[in-house]
């Protein structure tokens, strides 16, 4: 996601680029959830963060130690929709408890099912698994809004469809909550394909597409998005709640218009 941001910027002229502004998270009001790690287990922790000093937290993040180079990295960060965070279970020393994010019989849903439901939010507006797996929330409503607005953006002149895509980022993380459920962090990948409705029409890439499409008109464009997500999952058979998500366009391609 970060690499794609740089690539997108490289496609802009100097006058089109926004000035870079250094950023940091406010450490004064950060909430850290550090699980006890047994020997041989991955080392990671979660955080509720604010990008603006003195403001309420607006992002959920996971930091993990990368074993190949012994360095800690921000591996997931998602925009938080609302402030109703679950209560993470802490032991007497203040440590959280990590639980399995997939294949966990003590949870109503695992990361794979949550991914499928999110993809349904984008693909159908949640008409299938989306509204079955998730209860109504600001984050889910926003994804459904993206679907509803995007699929009708061209009217009778073209179409827009969402679909699943190969997900390279299968790692998922989960913390036990006080109600016996879990706060789960995971990622997904989806595509959006825009196409003209008939010959003689063309899609003109915008400046933010230039790094991939080079201002060349297309008959269709397939965008790929990588997204970070976070949801609370109950212990019993009940809907989960999508709390946060953030997506970044990581690729775009399509056939040029025939001269």
């Amino acid at each position: 996601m970060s690499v794609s941001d740089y690539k997108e910027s490289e496609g802009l002229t100097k006058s089109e680029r926004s000035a870079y502004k250094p950023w940091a998270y406010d450490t004064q009001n950060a909430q850290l959830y550090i699980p006890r790690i047994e020997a041989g287990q991955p080392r990671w922790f979660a955080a509720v963060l604010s990008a603006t000093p003195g403001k309420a937290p607006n992002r959920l993040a996971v930091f993990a130690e990368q074993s190949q180079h012994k360095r800690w990295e921000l591996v997931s960060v998602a925009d938080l929709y609302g402030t109703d965070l679950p209560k993470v279970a802490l032991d007497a020393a203040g440590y959280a408890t990590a639980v399995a994010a997939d294949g966990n019989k003590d949870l109503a849903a695992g990361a794979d099912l949550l991914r499928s439901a999110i993809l349904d939010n984008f693909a159908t507006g949640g008409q299938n698994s989306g509204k079955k797996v998730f209860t109504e929330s600001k984050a889910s409503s926003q994804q459904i809004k993206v679907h509803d607005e995007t699929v009708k953006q061209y009217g009778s002149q073209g179409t827009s469809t969402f679909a699943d895509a190969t997900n390279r980022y299968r790692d998922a993380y989960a913390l036990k909550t006080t109600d016996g459920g879990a706060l789960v962090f995971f990622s997904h990948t989806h595509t959006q394909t825009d196409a003209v409705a008939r010959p003689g029409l063309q899609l003109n890439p915008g400046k933010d597409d230039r790094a991939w499409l080079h201002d060349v008109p297309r008959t269709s464009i397939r965008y790929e998005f990588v997204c970070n997500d976070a949801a609370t999952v109950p212990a019993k058979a009940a809907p989960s709640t999508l709390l946060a998500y953030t997506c970044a366009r990581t690729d775009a391609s399509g056939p040029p218009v025939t001269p």
Side-chain angles (χ1 to χ4, degrees), residues 137-158:
S137 70
K138 291 182 179 179
S140 283
S141 296
Q142 175 61 26
Q143 291 179 346
I144 292 171
K145 180 181 178 182
V146 170
H147 164 270
D148 293 346
E149 293 181 348
T150 302
V151 297
K152 61 184 180 182
Q153 64 178 329
Y154 297 118
S156 62
Q157 306 299 302

Side-chain angles (χ1 to χ4, degrees), residues 108-182:
D112 281 342
L113 181 58
L114 298 174
R115 287 189 185 99
S116 297
I118 285 178
L119 291 167
D120 185 61
N121 280 349
F122 284 107
T124 74
Q127 294 305 309
N128 299 318
S129 61
K131 292 182 178 178
K132 293 179 181 178
V133 173
F134 291 120
T135 187
E136 185 175 347
S137 70
K138 291 182 179 179
S140 283
S141 296
Q142 175 61 26
Q143 291 179 346
I144 292 171
K145 180 181 178 182
V146 170
H147 164 270
D148 293 346
E149 293 181 348
T150 302
V151 297
K152 61 184 180 182
Q153 64 178 329
Y154 297 118
S156 62
Q157 306 299 302
T159 59
S160 294
T161 57
F162 292 92
D164 191 3
T166 301
N167 181 26
R168 296 165 53 195
Y169 310 101
R170 303 294 301 174
D171 52 322
Y173 309 85
L175 295 173
K176 185 178 181 180
T177 53
T178 55
D179 60 2

Side-chain angles (χ1 to χ4, degrees), residues 199-243:
L201 299 177
Q202 66 185 40
L203 295 169
N204 298 315
K207 65 180 183 179
D208 292 336
D209 304 322
R210 188 177 299 143
W212 294 279
L213 303 176
H214 312 292
D215 293 328
V216 177
R218 313 277 170 159
T219 55
S220 68
I221 299 174
R222 179 184 185 272
Y223 298 101
E224 184 172 286
F225 297 89
V226 171
C227 309
N228 292 325
D229 311 277
T232 52
V233 179
K236 59 183 180 180
S240 301
T241 302
L242 184 65
L243 296 177

